Amino acid sequence: MTAKLAERPAGADLVRSGIRAQAANSSFAFVVRAAAVSVFVILVLIVVTMTREAWPAFWHSGLGFVTGTDWSPSADLYGALPFVYGTMVSSLMALVLALPVSIGIALFINEYAPRRLRAPGVYLVDLLAAIPSVVYGLWGVLVLGPFLLPYVQKVADTIGTWPVFSAVFGGPVGLKSMFLAALILTIMIVPIITSITREVFDTVPADQKAAAVALGATRWEMVRGAVFPHSRNGMVAAVLLGLGRAMGETIAVALVIGSTAQITTRIFAPADSMAAVIANTFGESSGVNRAALIGLGVVLFAMTIVVNMAGQFVARRSGRKGAGT
Amino acid sequence: MSVETPTRPAAAPLPTYDATDLVGARLSAPRRYKNRVATACVWASVILALAPLALVIVLVVKNGLDAMGVEFFTGNIPSTRSAATGMGPAIVGTLIVTAAATVMAVPLGVLAAIYLSEYGRDGKVAATVRFLAGVMTGVPSIVMGLFVYTIWVLNFGQSAFAGALALACLMLPVVIRSGEEMLRLVPDDLRNASLALGTRKSRMIRTVVVPSALPGLTSGSLLAVARAAGETAPLLFTIGAIQTFNPNLFAGTNTVLPIQIYNGALSPFEGAHTRAWGAALALIAIVLVFTFAARLVTARLSTDRHR
Amino acid sequence: MTVPAALHVPPTEAPPTALATEGLGVYYGDWLAVDDITLQVPRHHITAFIGPSGCGKSTLLRCFNRMNDLIAGARVVGRVTYGDVDLYDDRIDPVQVRRRIGMVFQRPNPFPKSVYDNVAYGLRVHAMTEDLDDRVEDALRRAALWDDVKGALKKSALALSGGQQQRLCIARTIAVEPDIVLMDEPCSALDPIATGRIEDLMQELRRDYTILIVTHNMQQAARASDYAAFLTTEVDGDGDRRRGKLVEFAATNELFTHPQDPRTENYITGRFG
């Protein structure tokens, strides 16, 4: 063995050789880089091709496309404000409902649950996220809506007749409504907000929590004193990313919101959202109408991107890496 | 941890300490009250989330089973008024479209993840791609549908493949993000061990990094597949409508379970509702199979690690 | 392939040299971590690198198979001569270098594959696959691991004990027939018994290979090495930044019994108490 090694030409074979091996090496690097850049390419293509197809509608309506309140394809009127309004209001309502529940579930899994209930808690959230949105929509329109209708009617007949309150809870009451859409949306964004909130709670140093408990804090005082202050940024990120998800949610909303382009403060009245109107009317549209619907897609894209970027920015500042699922 | 129920070994008495204020009742009333209300709220939110989930699942199973028979799996989809239960074309369509989307998105996403974790690391390109993948995760699914409509359907018409393109666009960022996370879990020790043997980087990645991360990559991809299989919006304008079987990926329109559920929910007829529940049951079954498969792989991964 | 003339370095005097450095320094960014190392590592001997932690002995070791190339911001200056070529010449392929100059790491790092596949890994990479079974067995025998694993070649390498894993890593390294084996504190994660077995193994391997070992364990250096280099840290002009310097390089006996430099003496006596 020794002799064999000694006879080897020292160093000659260290000179760069194996052109093929090196080529394979650098072409692999090229391929993976190209795959990564594909994300950029797709996003650019989304903006370019959709804007191009929507151009006739933007040209037709000008700035009125986003400020106009009349959407009437038969009259060639394309004012998208009622849809923007519907998207924002239904999403914000869902957010208000979902946030406390999500924080509660996150606290349950991370702090409150007995050890053997923790894993089932995680399963619960995963399962909630796994049910396809169209199934929630089906349930909403065939079961939840009809079930809630008499109660909603009662609220409209009592609280809805009081001054001031009538502006929000007043009738007439529809089977499909902004309220029902917000409820369904709530169920759909609880999982994402919960999982981000949990990740944030996980970053609270254990010794800070231990310190709070060692000072004689109750569990709630520990949560308020050690967990919440540490998680403020992360919770803002969770809210923004949940809002982004709610704004883009399509099918469930399309089934339960009522498809009525109007701006009203009454939550039991039917309304419409950007995603829902695209889903519900794209099939039978043509010409400028179709361009206008694609234009709605562009506006929706822009709005969700802004909200998501803000969410990611805050998330990054709070030290989290990703946006969860 | 538990403050409310202190237990003290009865053994050696410590007469110099007065421990009576350790008894739960001595905690001041407002503090005790607040703590209990908070605990109740936490439990209430879990029940609030559990209720719709349980209701949906129970109803889908109960109503869905009514529609399930041999005809459900083999029959063509009848007209909306009919009481027949055929849903076969949509089941086949869902499997074809999802499979095609997976074939496109998973390899591309894993390659991109390899770039982020093995080449780009903390560089500017990688940071940008990571950010854009996050942005892409937030693109609404209906927008992906419109995008594929404008770039593909307007030129080549509707087909299962067009739908698969839209789903692939939705899956891609999810696969990239989970993929990078999994690749980063591979210890640098293993990379160094391979490189120190005189392995080229590309070969090291293929023979050490990817195999080590394979369970994680599989699990992440399965979850992305599960999510894509349940999507409706991206397919509305991309795959068209059909009531008979079309196993051809590239030619002719197609249909999937989510679209049939959507149509059934919009329909006023009882038969269509029943079919929708049946389709929902089939869809949830497909989605949960992927979800549980992902969990199974993850569970195996963790036992492997601890061996 | 013939070596271009400019690659040749004039031969050095006996004893036969496996590796030589001239004015070798390593920068991390603009921090000079190791400065101006000049020494000749004799062939078919065990050379130990000792010194206080942070003196750059591991960094120095990683220069010899260009593993420092993999650290972002690391830069090597000076020369490292192997045989008759400068390892840092532009024309040198670091991947080939690592095949000839193997490395064993601080923590055992077997691949999450079977015992057999761990040893076969490098052989497959270098297309040394004829008589693969024999080569694997030979490597395991030379690493004194064959008797432990011959019935469990298909079992996961992660099921082995720490000491066995480290011997497996040695088997994996010598399977591809390197000239030189670099060992970066190979026993620091092992118990004394496993450490003893690795040291015995090193004595066996010395006949076939040149071994360079970094160790923080003075007894180990004294027991197991033929030559020893003592490095220390020097605080540079800026204050808090430290750099590694070679203080003394000699036969191990000499270094431990008649250290020429007071710093060496202090370190050795301090350690031995």
Side-chain angles (χ1 to χ4, degrees):
Chain A
M1 197 77 216
T2 310
K4 199 171 86 192
L5 288 176
E7 283 158 16
R8 271 206 249 178
D13 61 342
L14 301 185
V15 177
R16 283 187 193 276
S17 60
I19 303 293
R20 212 192 291 153
Q22 282 185 36
N25 203 36
S26 55
S27 63
F28 182 80
F30 177 80
V31 167
V32 294
R33 180 185 264 260
V37 172
S38 72
V39 174
F40 176 72
V41 173
I42 291 172
L43 281 171
V44 168
L45 280 177
I46 290 177
V47 173
V48 171
T49 62
M50 284 183 55
T51 309
R52 197 186 59 206
E53 290 303 319
W55 199 251
F58 291 155
W59 183 252
H60 176 89
S61 305
L63 200 59
F65 189 78
V66 283
T67 58
T69 56
D70 273 325
W71 181 277
S72 169
S74 54
D76 253 0
L77 280 174
Y78 302 102
L81 199 58
F83 305 120
V84 176
Y85 175 83
T87 294
M88 290 313 298
V89 171
S90 59
S91 303
L92 288 172
M93 280 171 66
L95 201 57
V96 169
L97 295 173
L99 189 60
V101 175
S102 304
I103 293 176
I105 300 174
L107 282 179
F108 177 81
I109 295 171
N110 280 26
E111 309 289 345
Y112 279 78
R115 189 152 288 282
R116 70 202 148 79
L117 282 186
R118 264 173 215 195
V122 178
Y123 275 115
L124 164 73
V125 176
D126 284 358
L127 211 55
L128 210 55
I131 306 282
S133 82
V134 69
V135 175
Y136 284 122
L138 177 74
W139 177 70
V141 71
L142 293 186
V143 182
L144 186 64
F147 170 79
L148 286 177
L149 191 58
Y151 302 102
V152 166
Q153 187 70 56
K154 212 168 282 173
V155 171
D157 289 346
T158 53
I159 304 174
T161 56
W162 305 350
V164 185
F165 283 88
S166 66
V168 178
F169 299 105
V173 165
L175 174 67
K176 302 181 180 185
S177 66
M178 180 84 94
F179 170 69
L180 190 58
L183 270 191
I184 296 288
L185 273 180
T186 304
I187 300 172
M188 306 195 57
I189 62 174
V190 160
I192 184 175
I193 302 184
T194 304
S195 66
I196 299 176
T197 311
R198 267 194 60 214
E199 275 182 55
V200 175
F201 287 172
D202 274 339
T203 64
V204 179
D207 50 355
Q208 281 189 21
K209 293 196 282 185
V213 174
L215 286 171
T218 63
R219 204 191 304 237
W220 172 241
E221 285 162 349
M222 182 270 285
V223 167
R224 259 193 33 184
V227 177
F228 283 168
H230 197 274
S231 318
R232 203 155 291 154
N233 265 342
M235 270 154 43
V236 171
V239 164
L240 287 169
L241 294 168
L243 180 65
R245 177 65 58 86
M247 285 164 59
E249 181 46 50
T250 308
I251 286 298
V253 176
L255 286 171
V256 300
I257 198 165
S259 303
T260 308
Q262 57 173 343
I263 298 180
T264 168
T265 54
R266 304 195 167 185
I267 59 171
F268 298 139
D272 215 341
S273 79
M274 290 189 276
V277 73
I278 300 171
N280 282 332
T281 67
F282 194 83
E284 60 250 27
S285 68
S286 60
V288 180
N289 186 11
R290 182 154 282 196
L293 290 172
I294 296 174
L296 270 185
V298 174
V299 175
L300 177 62
F301 175 77
M303 285 169 60
T304 48
I305 291 292
V306 167
V307 171
N308 267 302
M309 279 185 170
Q312 285 216 36
F313 181 72
V314 179
R316 199 151 304 179
R317 264 200 355 192
S318 78
R320 276 186 68 259
K321 263 192 8 225
T325 46
Chain B
M1 278 297 260
S2 177
V3 180
E4 298 94 321
T5 55
T7 51
R8 194 164 253 270
L14 297 167
T16 44
Y17 296 105
D18 175 13
T20 47
D21 65 338
L22 294 181
V23 178
R26 286 299 181 90
L27 211 57
S28 75
R31 289 181 63 196
R32 200 171 65 235
Y33 174 74
K34 272 189 198 163
N35 194 38
R36 289 211 179 138
V37 168
T39 308
C41 285
V42 163
W43 280 89
S45 23
V46 174
I47 290 161
L48 270 177
L50 196 57
L53 179 68
L55 285 172
V56 168
I57 289 180
V58 166
L59 273 172
V60 166
V61 171
K62 186 167 100 37
N63 294 339
L65 284 177
D66 288 347
M68 291 242 174
V70 176
E71 188 198 347
F72 181 84
F73 296 99
T74 58
N76 286 332
I77 301 165
S79 73
T80 182
R81 289 162 189 274
S82 162
T85 59
M87 200 44 71
I91 297 174
V92 172
T94 291
L95 296 178
I96 292 176
V97 173
T98 312
T102 308
V103 167
M104 287 186 275
V106 169
L108 189 63
V110 169
L111 287 174
I114 288 175
Y115 174 78
L116 294 181
S117 135
E118 307 299 317
Y119 289 90
R121 288 262 163 175
D122 304 321
K124 270 198 182 128
V125 178
T128 313
V129 168
R130 223 169 266 134
F131 181 74
L132 291 178
V135 168
M136 201 168 159
T137 319
V139 174
S141 56
I142 186 96
V143 172
M144 284 302 182
L146 287 175
F147 164 58
V148 171
Y149 175 84
T150 59
I151 202 170
W152 184 269
V153 175
L154 285 179
N155 298 317
F156 307 103
Q158 295 174 324
S159 64
F161 182 74
L165 269 182
L167 289 191
C169 287
L170 282 174
M171 288 171 69
L172 183 64
V174 182
V175 175
I176 292 177
R177 297 193 133 206
S178 73
E180 189 193 358
E181 235 168 81
M182 294 305 151
L183 291 169
R184 286 202 168 212
L185 289 180
V186 176
D188 271 345
D189 285 0
L190 295 184
R191 294 186 177 87
N192 286 337
S194 174
L195 292 172
L197 287 168
T199 316
R200 288 204 191 273
K201 189 169 178 179
S202 62
R203 180 141 191 193
M204 178 275 286
I205 292 168
R206 280 182 287 123
T207 54
V208 172
V209 177
V210 172
S212 303
L214 201 57
L217 294 173
T218 312
S219 157
S221 302
L222 283 171
L223 286 177
V225 171
R227 243 184 76 192
E231 283 288 352
T232 319
L235 304 177
L236 280 173
F237 336 123
T238 49
I239 66 168
I242 196 175
Q243 291 178 301
T244 52
F245 287 92
N246 177 13
N248 191 328
L249 177 63
F250 296 101
T253 58
N254 218 311
T255 193
V256 289
L257 289 167
I259 288 186
Q260 291 303 319
I261 301 171
Y262 175 66
N263 290 342
L266 286 173
S267 161
F269 300 105
E270 195 61 36
H273 292 172
T274 309
R275 279 193 300 278
W277 287 113
L281 180 55
L283 182 61
I284 289 185
I286 291 174
V287 168
L288 289 190
V289 162
F290 284 119
T291 311
F292 283 127
R295 280 220 170 266
L296 223 63
V297 175
T298 317
R300 263 197 53 193
L301 163 86
S302 50
T303 52
D304 273 4
R305 282 269 157 87
H306 290 300
R307 201 173 42 189
Chain C
M1 171 166 286
T2 53
V3 183
L7 274 173
H8 285 282
V9 172
T12 44
E13 296 300 308
T17 303
L19 280 166
T21 69
E22 247 181 274
L24 181 69
V26 183
Y27 286 89
Y28 290 124
D30 57 359
W31 168 42
L32 183 58
V34 174
D35 187 20
D36 194 23
I37 307 273
T38 301
L39 51 74
Q40 276 114 36
V41 177
R43 184 183 277 262
H44 291 304
H45 286 89
I46 298 175
T47 302
F49 293 83
I50 57 175
S53 58
C55 69
K57 49 195 193 295
S58 287
T59 301
L60 174 61
L61 194 73
R62 294 167 71 94
C63 291
F64 294 128
N65 65 344
R66 296 193 57 171
M67 287 298 276
N68 280 330
D69 292 18
L70 305 172
I71 298 169
R75 192 162 52 84
V76 174
V77 296
R79 294 164 72 90
V80 179
T81 317
Y82 165 66
D84 50 8
V85 297
D86 177 2
L87 290 183
Y88 283 85
D89 189 286
D90 283 345
R91 285 162 290 188
I92 294 295
D93 182 355
V95 173
Q96 304 282 14
V97 171
R98 293 182 200 129
R99 183 250 161 113
R100 294 288 291 272
I101 305 179
M103 186 162 197
V104 176
F105 295 82
Q106 201 165 349
R107 270 183 304 166
N109 55 357
F111 300 122
K113 301 171 188 273
S114 70
V115 170
Y116 182 94
D117 286 337
N118 261 280
V119 182
Y121 180 88
L123 296 168
R124 289 185 177 129
V125 165
H126 296 297
M128 299 159 76
T129 45
E130 62 183 273
D131 309 326
L132 189 61
D133 290 357
D134 294 345
R135 285 175 187 270
V136 169
E137 180 179 338
D138 185 46
L140 286 168
R141 277 187 192 284
R142 279 189 286 157
L145 192 60
W146 177 251
D147 291 332
D148 297 22
V149 299
K150 62 186 170 195
L153 289 177
K154 297 290 168 201
K155 276 213 189 138
S156 168
L158 302 180
L160 300 178
S161 73
Q164 288 173 326
Q165 288 189 5
Q166 194 63 301
R167 276 181 282 145
L168 178 66
C169 292
I170 293 173
R172 184 175 63 187
T173 305
I174 58 182
V176 297
E177 293 172 15
D179 278 353
I180 299 173
V181 177
L182 308 177
M183 295 186 167
D184 187 359
E185 302 199 26
C187 303
S188 67
L190 303 181
D191 61 58
I193 293 171
T195 300
R197 298 198 65 169
I198 302 272
E199 283 174 15
D200 292 347
L201 176 57
M202 282 164 57
Q203 299 307 321
E204 290 293 315
L205 296 174
R206 179 168 60 156
R207 284 185 287 127
D208 296 337
Y209 308 99
T210 304
I211 297 177
L212 280 67
I213 177 171
V214 163
T215 177
H216 62 272
N217 180 335
M218 301 286 279
Q219 286 94 330
Q220 182 171 57
R223 268 195 311 263
S225 70
D226 307 313
Y227 291 85
F230 173 65
L231 284 79
T232 189
T233 54
E234 250 176 24
V235 178
D236 69 9
D238 303 349
D240 54 16
R241 287 203 147 172
R242 303 187 306 172
R243 64 175 54 151
K245 277 257 186 198
L246 177 66
V247 176
E248 197 169 341
F249 178 56
T252 303
N253 270 338
E254 283 293 304
L255 191 95
F256 277 88
T257 52
H258 306 293
Q260 299 298 304
D261 193 293
R263 288 173 293 179
T264 315
E265 184 164 13
N266 287 342
Y267 185 71
I268 291 169
T269 51
R271 272 300 175 94
F272 280 138

